[in-house]
Amino acid sequence: MIKIKISNLLGTHKMSQKDLADKTGIRAATISTYYHETVKHIAVEHLDKLCKAFDCSISDLLEYIPDKK
């Protein structure tokens, strides 16, 4: 499973989803799917914009959690 850590980063940076959408140019509805981890895929362009917005690396945005057997 891939965990998307947008909610943690928003809290750390004291930003709202709307603030992030405004800063990155990513639609607010798309930011919401990242926030709620309901997204099916993430565009590489969005990963780039999110890393720039949070001044972080991809490993700060995403985490791989192995499935339990």
Side-chain angles (χ1 to χ4, degrees):
M1 171 172 89
I2 303 295
K3 172 136 180 73
I4 304 170
K5 301 189 279 185
I6 296 291
S7 61
N8 295 348
L9 288 166
L10 286 173
T12 300
H13 291 268
K14 296 184 178 12
M15 292 173 67
S16 68
Q17 291 181 44
K18 182 179 180 336
D19 293 335
L20 184 59
D22 292 343
K23 187 170 186 173
T24 61
I26 300 170
R27 290 180 339 110
T30 302
I31 296 292
S32 179
T33 64
Y34 296 160
Y35 181 87
H36 294 287
E37 299 186 69
T38 57
V39 66
K40 299 293 181 201
H41 68 277
I42 300 176
V44 173
E45 176 185 346
H46 287 186
L47 291 173
D48 183 57
K49 289 179 179 185
L50 292 167
C51 285
K52 286 177 184 171
F54 291 124
D55 189 29
C56 69
S57 68
I58 289 178
S59 62
D60 296 320
L61 292 173
L62 305 172
E63 178 183 2
Y64 172 69
I65 300 171
D67 294 331
K68 295 180 182 176
K69 293 185 179 194

